[in-house]
Amino acid sequence: MARIEQDNDRLNLGAKKFNMWIFIFTSFMLFAALTSGFIVYSGGSGHGLNVIMPTSFLYSTIVIALSSGTLFLASRAAKASQFDKQKLYLWITLGLGLAFFALQVYACYVLTYKMQIYFTDPNASRSFVYVFIGAHLLHIFAAVLLLINTLIGTYRKNPQIKNLFKMEMTSIFWHFLDIIWIYLYVFLLLNHN
């Protein structure tokens, strides 16, 4: 009976992992469409971004890269059944994820109140910056919830197969968002003039 339950768990986990990959693919297509729209719009004369990106974008890029490292260490600790280390690295990753979120919100503050660049700017290239940040922060919010769920699972002492599965799902999504942000940041730096 226990063997049948284990096989059913594996089948259910496989379907959930497939759903995660579908979600990642659709998110990738969303960001590809947004950046393509930016390129098409800014190709016209007078539609350039013409703004220097706030330095908080650089800091947030460093923070999210560090969070990917700590999440990798949490995954490695989970595979080695070192649950205290796993919890520690998950807490650090959560803190870094929240710091990333705060730095992004601060960047929006700088853009709006210090640089006088608004979401409803007549130059839609500048509005795209807010759309990029907003879409990415929405994904980060979902990733933080997924990370919290994984962290709660470690305190509930879930079976190891579920613990590793949650770590894998969280890692896939988190690393994807890390790559997307680095892509967006480099994209904005290359198109700021």
Side-chain angles (χ1 to χ4, degrees):
M1 187 67 167
R3 179 75 178 155
I4 293 170
E5 275 184 38
Q6 223 174 22
D7 288 341
N8 285 340
D9 280 347
R10 285 196 178 124
L11 288 173
N12 291 338
L13 298 180
K16 289 177 182 177
K17 190 174 183 181
F18 179 75
N19 287 339
M20 173 64 82
W21 282 111
I22 294 291
F23 180 73
I24 284 176
F25 178 74
T26 57
S27 295
F28 170 77
M29 293 305 292
L30 170 73
F31 287 106
L34 290 173
T35 53
S36 295
F38 175 89
I39 290 169
V40 169
Y41 180 80
S42 65
S45 63
H47 294 140
L49 194 54
N50 299 324
V51 65
I52 295 172
M53 292 294 111
T55 55
S56 56
F57 280 154
L58 172 63
Y59 300 141
S60 65
T61 304
I62 293 167
V63 165
I64 200 165
L66 288 172
S67 73
S68 275
T70 57
L71 190 58
F72 170 77
L73 293 173
S75 291
R76 203 166 76 179
K79 289 175 186 169
S81 297
Q82 297 172 331
F83 303 114
D84 289 336
K85 279 187 178 181
Q86 178 189 6
K87 290 174 191 172
L88 173 66
Y89 289 127
L90 283 174
W91 276 111
I92 294 170
T93 305
L94 180 61
L96 290 170
L98 294 174
F100 174 83
F101 199 93
L103 284 166
Q104 293 286 296
V105 170
Y106 179 72
C108 288
Y109 167 78
V110 169
L111 283 169
T112 305
Y113 295 106
K114 293 188 177 181
M115 300 173 85
Q116 303 297 312
I117 297 169
Y118 301 103
F119 177 68
T120 57
D121 197 292
N123 180 358
S125 294
R126 293 177 173 185
S127 299
F128 267 104
V129 175
Y130 289 101
V131 174
F132 294 151
I133 295 169
H136 191 261
L137 284 181
L138 202 63
H139 284 76
I140 287 290
F141 180 73
V144 164
L145 292 178
L146 188 61
L147 188 61
I148 289 170
N149 184 31
T150 303
L151 189 57
I152 289 170
T154 61
Y155 283 97
R156 289 186 180 161
K157 300 187 192 276
N158 283 341
Q160 181 65 349
I161 190 168
K162 285 189 178 181
N163 181 37
L164 291 175
F165 176 75
K166 283 184 174 190
M167 282 302 304
E168 184 179 11
M169 295 289 279
T170 304
S171 295
I172 288 169
F173 192 44
W174 196 268
H175 296 314
F176 166 73
L177 292 178
D178 185 4
I179 291 166
I180 287 292
W181 174 250
I182 291 170
Y183 162 71
L184 288 173
Y185 179 61
V186 170
F187 179 82
L188 289 172
L189 285 179
L190 293 175
N191 290 290
H192 74 273
N193 286 330

